[in-house]
Amino acid sequence: MPVHLGERYTLSFACLAEVKSAGTVVTTRWKVSQLSSPEYLRPREGAATTLFRCPTCRTDFTVRVESLAMARAKRLANLVAGVVLLALLLLWVPMLVHYGGQTVDESRADSTAGTIGLLVLATAASFVGGLTAFKVGRAYTGINKLRRTTGEGRPSVRVRGHTFWP
């Protein structure tokens, strides 16, 4: 599902509510919250840090919110990279079929095997990289760097039991 980017934003945030362990199976239950407020506006330029409180455990957090232009540009860059890599499959696959279906002399077998190996690598990289970039581009919101605030008001590096929810 594509994410709508606008001046106002909503934080889809999850707090780890329960962890059960039965032998080798670990089951987790997350409490998901959609936090929105009229005050949640993107900055005009660059990025800004926003404070919010987890509604489940009442812990204070900060997030980095990018401007609408920056978020749209990064989203578009990921989508274009994904589409280009996936479009390259239209080049790599026919070449792979062409070279793979040929019979070659023993004297040229090494160079043909090397060419086929490179084509297999290029095909795999285009497929995996293209799908990944396209998926990241569709889900990009411009909201990142989740940090828990310490008692002194400084942001921590590690946040356990909390995450952005897709």
Side-chain angles (χ1 to χ4, degrees):
M1 178 170 100
V3 177
H4 173 71
L5 290 178
E7 283 294 322
R8 296 191 186 279
Y9 62 91
T10 300
L11 291 173
S12 296
F13 184 72
C15 180
L16 186 60
E18 181 180 12
V19 177
K20 290 182 182 176
S21 179
T24 59
V25 177
V26 177
T27 306
T28 59
R29 188 174 59 85
W30 292 85
K31 172 93 166 83
V32 180
S33 303
Q34 298 286 330
L35 306 176
S36 68
S37 168
E39 298 169 0
Y40 285 174
L41 290 173
R42 292 182 183 274
R44 295 270 180 226
E45 293 180 355
T49 301
T50 302
L51 295 167
F52 72 97
R53 179 167 285 178
C54 175
T56 305
C57 65
R58 303 287 182 220
T59 305
D60 292 327
F61 290 93
T62 62
V63 292
R64 184 174 169 263
V65 180
E66 296 175 344
S67 68
L68 184 59
M70 186 184 299
R72 283 184 176 163
K74 287 182 179 181
R75 180 181 193 167
L76 183 63
N78 278 316
L79 288 173
V80 168
V83 168
V84 167
L85 285 170
L86 289 172
L88 280 173
L89 288 174
L90 297 173
L91 174 69
W92 303 134
V93 172
M95 287 177 65
L96 186 61
V97 170
H98 173 72
Y99 280 109
Q102 288 183 345
T103 54
V104 293
D105 296 331
E106 287 183 26
S107 61
R108 290 188 11 194
D110 288 339
S111 66
T112 303
T115 302
I116 290 173
L118 287 175
L119 287 173
V120 167
L121 184 64
T123 302
S126 290
F127 181 72
V128 172
L131 285 180
T132 302
F134 192 75
K135 183 179 176 186
V136 166
R138 284 180 51 103
Y140 192 76
T141 61
I143 301 171
N144 51 27
K145 291 192 180 179
L146 175 67
R147 301 288 188 252
R148 182 179 51 85
T149 55
T150 62
E152 302 161 357
R154 294 184 321 204
S156 68
V157 175
R158 295 188 179 157
V159 177
R160 291 186 178 166
H162 294 86
T163 186
F164 291 122
W165 203 256

